[in-house]
Each structure stands twice: as C-alpha cells, then as structure tokens.
Amino acid sequence: MVRLITHNLLACHAKGCTSNNFPLQLKDVQLEQREAEFNPDFLRRFMPKLDWGALVDTARQLGDDSLPLEQPEMFDDDFLRKLHHVLLEVSVEEGAMVCPNCSHIYPISNGIPNMLLAENEIG
Amino acid sequence: MSRPELVAPPEIYYGDTEASKYTQNTRIQQIQAEMTYRAMELLNIPEGETAFLLDIGCGSGLSGEILDEEGHIWAGVDVSPSMLEIALEREVEGDLFLQDIGQGFGFRPGSFDGAISISVLQWLLNAETSHPTSSPPHRLTRFFTTLHSALKNPSRAILQFYPTSDDQIQLITSIAQKAGFGGGIVVDYPNSKKARKVFLCLFVGGGGGQQVPQGLADEGGDERVQFERRRDRETKRKKSAKSKHTQDKDWVLKKKDLYRKRGKEGVPRDSKYTARTRKPVF
C-alpha cells in the first residue's frame, strides 16, 4: 500500500533527475481505505515535513477535498482527524507513479511500487 | 556452509522457497527479533514517541512487526519480490517498496526520524555485473549519500550486518563517513562465535555530541541456542547424581559400624581394601 504519507516524501531518483521531480503523479489508481490508529502528537510533529501543496493536490486528484488549500495556523482536533484520514487511511493499491520531469513510470501492483531502475538510469 | 550473499544476488536467492523458509524458521525469527530490539535500543528514540522510520531490507516484515508493536509508523524497502509478497500476506502495517538500495533512495530530505536495517549491508558487497554502477563502492556511496539526506537532523541509522573481514568494515565505515555520517561500529558479544553481532551506528548531525554506544559484554545468557541451557542442566544433574555414589572411606566405615550396631548380618569386615579407589574402567 502506498499511503499519501509516503507518497508525499517520494521523489524520482533516476540519474540526472534532480529538479521538478516531485510530487510523482498518480495514474490509473485503485484506492483502498483501511483504518489506522489516530495519533495527534505524531501528526503535529510530522507537519513540518509535509509539502502541503503537493499533499492537497494529490488528495484532490484522488477525489478527497476535505483539506484546505492553505495550511492552517492552528491544528484543531477536527482538522487533525481529516489529515489523519488522508495521510494514513487512504492507500493506493494499483496504478502507477509518473515523474513529472523525466516521465519515468514507477508501476504499483498489489500496493507495492516498483522503484527499480534500469542500469543506465542509476545515478 | 557458504554465505548466502556469495550464492546469488538477493532478489534471486530469496525466491519463493527460500523466502518462506526464512520466514517460517523460528530460530531465524528469534534472532531477527532480538537484533531488531537491540537496534531499536541503539536508535534511542524517546520512550512513548511515535516515530516515522525506514526499514532497509524489510524482507517479509519480521522486523517491521516489531516496529508495529512499538507503535511506530514505518516504510520498508526490499529487493526481493517473494519476500514482499510474504510481507503482504502477513499484513504488516508499513508501506512497502520494491527497491534496490544500491541504486539509492528517492526520499525527500529529512523524511525519516531514523532507519534500521537487519542483516542487509553484506549484500551490497558483491558486484553482480561489470557495469560501473554495479561495483560495491559505487553502490555503497549511492546508498549512504541518499540515506543521509533522507534522514532528519539529528537522527540515527542502525545497520546490523555480517562482515566477513575487517577490510569490509573499513570500506563501509569510510564510505559512510564520506557521505556525511558520524558514528562507528558497535560489536555485541565480541568473543562469542555465535552471538557476535556487528552494528553500524550512524549519526546525522548533532554536532559530535552523540557518543557511540557500548557493545554488550559476553554475559549474554539469553543469546544461546535453544535447548543449550537444558542440556547444561541435564549434564550437571547427571554428574551430581553420579558423585553421590562415590563416598570416602570414613563414610563407608561409619555406615558399616552403624549396620553392625543395629545387628545386621553379613556386614563385611574392615580391611585395607575397604573403600579403595578402583582403577578407571578404560
């Protein structure tokens, strides 16, 4: 399963692909929902690591527009619950991730993305 | 028995049969669990804090299960599809990636609060093809530099591995240092053949304030092969049972005296041969 929490950290790592390589675009996705334990402290600590724009864009692409476009200043419980759902409970089971820069395709099958590179793409 | 990393590359060696064998073997499970707990201890994450960790070479999720238990959220990478399939069957909580760590990671800077890796690094020490990107130093460099940037500052990475020689340790530590890591090697039970474990403890940042932890000493009573203690106990019991039968001369004379006093018939008379030590049987 590729949850959005990891998708938000993932950039293309092919040779020479160093700029504009984030976020990877999701294509032909099949989603799955599964419950996870709600941990507000963890989310608060994780906030600085997130790229908010990329997260909201990806979530909207996947048909979830519960998150505000601008990152709020205060994190209330309601907001954290929404964030928890988007980050940790939605996962991509099938589909592909495409690099916006070099268009390398990372296929996802059974919830596991194939990140292997060909010999000439290794940096 | 030759080392598995010399037989075939990991994605081939850990095919379907080897992967299920590995996961079902209770001895491997136990050792992996012990090493994972030790790695967590060395990782030194504050008690009760949920961290976002990277499990390098997660395999079938033996170590990931422990991270789940401890309440951490994690992502795992492995190069063997069969191993990952078993991890899926076991329904581990972490996100899994099919990835060759020698090709480097694509994680954004500062993504993880720490990384662990159990019995993986030795797989990077063999070249599979003659392509320049397949040479061990190149793969190690790529691995350590991308890992260094994927970790937040300050944090730690604990990598347990099985080196065959000091040269290998030297190579790995020098490349890790060049990639920007601080830290060093921690050896647990250095004098034991079976229990000896090598951990590479790498620090990101911290301004040199972090100390390399001490390795465990050799009094590792728990680090023994199953049933070894029972065997010890049984041989000890046998020995003590045997020694009860051989008593010294005074004890024999006293007993004979006692029997005579009680009026028992046929008590042998005392002589210079009474309770003499006999020749060994062999």
Side-chain angles (χ1 to χ4, degrees), chain B residues 17-42:
Chain B
T17 45
E18 204 58 39
S20 70
K21 258 199 263 175
Y22 193 89
T23 317
Q24 280 162 11
N25 185 328
T26 49
R27 168 114 182 101
I28 291 180
Q29 279 176 11
Q30 188 198 340
I31 294 178
Q32 295 275 322
E34 272 166 19
M35 291 193 294
T36 312
Y37 281 121
R38 175 72 176 137
M40 292 304 294
E41 193 185 323
L42 294 172

Side-chain angles (χ1 to χ4, degrees), chain A residues 1-3 5-6 8-13 22 39 42 45-46 49-51 88 110-117 119 122-123, chain B residues 49-52 73-75 84 88 93-100 103-108 110-111 113 129 131 133 138 142:
Chain A
M1 53 187 181
V2 186
R3 293 177 290 191
I5 188 170
T6 31
N8 199 267
L9 300 173
L10 209 56
C12 180
H13 66 297
F22 172 83
N39 186 339
F42 173 74
R45 254 181 294 117
F46 206 80
K49 291 186 194 170
L50 287 173
D51 185 319
L88 294 166
N110 264 334
I112 298 180
N114 181 342
M115 308 299 288
L116 297 178
L117 301 173
E119 225 168 43
I122 303 171
Chain B
E49 194 176 301
T50 305
F52 191 58
I73 297 176
W74 56 281
L84 291 173
L88 279 184
E93 299 279 330
D95 286 5
L96 305 168
F97 294 92
L98 178 66
Q99 189 160 18
D100 184 353
Q103 297 178 349
F105 301 108
F107 297 110
R108 287 199 294 130
S111 297
D113 301 323
T129 67
H131 197 273
T133 56
H138 185 274
R142 186 88 187 121

Side-chain angles (χ1 to χ4, degrees), chain B residues 139-200:
Chain B
R139 287 165 62 78
L140 284 167
T141 308
R142 186 88 187 121
F143 168 67
F144 281 122
T145 42
T146 49
L147 176 66
H148 185 264
S149 71
L151 293 170
K152 73 161 191 194
N153 183 356
S155 66
R156 288 185 179 191
I158 308 296
L159 308 114
Q160 182 274 330
F161 68 112
Y162 293 108
T164 39
S165 65
D166 285 349
D167 288 349
Q168 290 189 340
I169 298 182
Q170 185 69 37
L171 176 74
I172 286 176
T173 45
S174 70
I175 291 177
Q177 268 169 12
K178 268 183 216 153
F181 282 109
I185 294 275
V186 174
V187 183
D188 281 357
Y189 314 117
N191 299 324
S192 159
K193 218 172 179 183
K194 274 183 191 149
R196 185 186 147 97
K197 295 283 175 305
V198 180
F199 291 87
L200 181 61

